[in-house]
Amino acid sequence: MPLTLLGRHNPLASASEQLKMLEQPSSNPSFDTQLHRASLYPLRATGISVFQINVGKLCNQTCRHCHVDAGPDRPETMSLETAEQCIQALAKTDIPTVDITGGAPELNPRFRWLVEQARGLGRHVMDRCNLSVLLIPSQADLGKFLARHRVEIIASLPSYRASQTDAQRGDGIFEKSLEALRLLNRFGYGRLDSGLTLDLVYNPVGAFLPPKQEAIEAQFKKELRTQYGIEFNRLYTITNMPISRFLEFLIESGNYDQYMTRLVNAFNPDAAAGVMCRHTLSVGWDGKLYDCDFNQMLDLPVDHGTPSHIRDFEPTQLHNRRIVTRNHCYGCTAGSGSSCGGATS
Ligand code: SF4
């Protein structure tokens, strides 16, 4: 049986159903009210330093909290034409970083071409990798490819315990993640002197906020090194966004109201001032433009008169654009905020 919301014909597969839930009347202030109080309304971009490309929803995993509703049954995938438009747009700018995500972005046949083109333009490239993709037979040379192009890897690992990782990401995924991390270490990833960056991302397994990043990073480093001989560079913490499959979990477990109130009470104006949409532009698999990957999944394209497709990309009209905000944005402003510029696949 398919595990995606779409495959299960769950109403929450529809962005409008999710928004209906998120925007329903509540005793909590709306996100925009909170921005007003923090003198940040309307939220505006301050430039574009990250060009994020979501190449599609196909994934070899079906994680419980996936904000993309990705999975093996999702056919949406970026075409070569759209990938070319991305590179043409990038070439018009000096945006330093290209952040490629999915789904499992490496499964898109255009992934390697995008990496090569972006590196050819001298840009830093990040790959949001689910780790297990490195073990698929057709991807046997993926680690070598990423190392050769000096791609930064950002990988999800919600726990150094098998039971918690498998509960969130699927049976057997913890062992596969360890195998992939060891493989990446062999290529030099995560080794201090190699210049090959391997960062991990922690997100809570349940309806709670992440702990302080520094403390949990030290714990992960110790456990992964002593138990498994694995090295990595940094560990980022992210808050689970109340959308898609995590929204389904919140509703089904009776935690939705409590979780939203927790996010609202943890609103941090400093985190709001630094949210990733203020310096990111996100391109969807079909070329539509968004303020971030979360807005992309809620079908909330850039608005307020800016070009909304990559073929019409015009940096001067986008760099100071007004951001489209809704109540899910509370997921970016709780506590210290989410620190890795968005979720991994
Ligand atoms: S969800 Fe997107 S638009 Fe909203 S604050 Fe976060 S990054 Fe910005």
Side-chain angles (χ1 to χ4, degrees):
M1 183 174 114
L3 296 172
T4 60
L5 294 170
L6 190 71
R8 288 184 277 121
H9 307 290
N10 187 305
L12 287 174
S14 143
S16 60
E17 280 300 314
Q18 294 179 48
L19 285 168
K20 210 189 290 175
M21 185 75 198
L22 288 159
E23 302 299 313
Q24 71 187 356
S26 149
S27 54
N28 289 323
S30 71
F31 185 74
D32 284 352
T33 301
Q34 207 72 292
L35 283 180
H36 266 294
R37 290 176 185 165
S39 305
L40 285 167
Y41 185 86
L43 198 63
R44 284 196 171 275
T46 55
I48 306 173
S49 58
V50 178
F51 189 86
Q52 187 171 61
I53 307 174
N54 188 317
V55 295
K57 302 190 181 189
L58 176 65
C59 189
N60 56 307
Q61 293 184 191
T62 324
C63 305
R64 255 175 85 198
H65 294 176
C66 180
H67 74 282
V68 177
D69 195 27
D73 59 325
R74 296 302 302 253
E76 300 90 338
T77 193
M78 182 173 278
S79 66
L80 179 59
E81 184 188 8
T82 305
E84 284 171 347
Q85 288 168 346
C86 287
I87 294 301
Q88 284 156 12
L90 187 67
K92 286 189 201 170
T93 73
D94 56 2
I95 297 171
T97 298
V98 177
D99 176 354
I100 309 182
T101 187
E106 306 87 351
L107 296 180
N108 182 308
R110 266 61 69 176
F111 171 78
R112 296 188 190 203
W113 183 85
L114 277 170
V115 170
E116 286 163 352
Q117 296 297 312
R119 292 294 292 140
L121 291 171
R123 312 306 162 94
H124 177 69
V125 176
M126 291 156 56
D127 172 28
R128 295 197 182 246
C129 179
N130 71 11
L131 294 176
S132 70
V133 73
L134 286 147
L135 308 181
I136 295 177
S138 66
Q139 301 296 325
D141 60 343
L142 179 61
K144 197 171 168 190
F145 172 85
L146 294 171
R148 189 168 74 240
H149 293 282
R150 309 199 72 73
V151 174
E152 177 179 351
I153 296 177
I154 302 194
S156 262
L157 192 70
S159 176
Y160 47 79
R161 294 193 178 95
S163 57
Q164 294 193 4
T165 293
D166 285 0
Q168 188 181 124
R169 298 180 69 75
D171 288 345
I173 293 297
F174 182 71
E175 280 304 322
K176 287 183 179 174
S177 300
L178 294 183
E179 195 180 332
L181 288 169
R182 285 195 195 99
L183 185 149
L184 291 171
N185 279 174
R186 284 200 292 278
F187 283 113
Y189 273 104
R191 309 272 182 209
L192 277 182
D193 51 356
S194 72
L196 291 171
T197 304
L198 171 59
D199 293 333
L200 300 182
V201 178
Y202 162 94
N203 65 306
V205 175
F208 50 90
L209 302 183
K212 286 246 178 292
Q213 183 165 314
E214 297 73 23
I216 198 164
E217 180 181 89
Q219 210 175 350
F220 263 69
K221 285 213 166 185
K222 178 169 163 267
E223 296 293 336
L224 288 181
R225 184 177 294 144
T226 54
Q227 290 196 50
Y228 306 109
I230 286 168
E231 303 286 341
F232 65 94
N233 295 98
R234 283 159 296 183
L235 180 112
Y236 294 112
T237 56
I238 58 166
T239 302
N240 285 314
M241 188 59 65
I243 66 173
S244 196
R245 298 211 285 261
F246 189 66
L247 177 60
E248 180 196 33
F249 160 76
L250 289 174
I251 295 168
E252 289 197 343
S253 62
N255 277 302
Y256 175 75
D257 290 332
Q258 190 190 21
Y259 188 71
M260 288 307 291
T261 301
R262 197 168 278 163
L263 293 182
V264 172
N265 290 342
F267 178 83
N268 173 358
D270 291 338
V275 282
M276 65 167 172
C277 49
R278 301 195 81 188
H279 56 87
T280 298
L281 184 71
S282 167
V283 190
W285 65 272
D286 55 359
K288 284 194 200 147
L289 301 181
Y290 302 85
D291 295 311
C292 70
D293 206 47
F294 304 118
N295 283 11
Q296 188 175 140
M297 300 315 146
L298 288 173
D299 205 12
L300 295 169
V302 290
D303 200 354
H304 313 295
T306 51
S308 61
H309 195 280
I310 193 65
R311 76 172 85 84
D312 307 314
F313 178 79
E314 179 43 66
T316 52
Q317 288 177 274
L318 287 158
H319 80 271
N320 189 34
R321 70 191 186 277
R322 187 173 152 188
I323 307 286
V324 178
T325 47
R326 296 285 189 279
N327 289 339
H328 66 288
C329 296
Y330 274 122
C332 290
T333 57
S336 324
S338 285
S339 54
C340 77
T344 56
S345 48

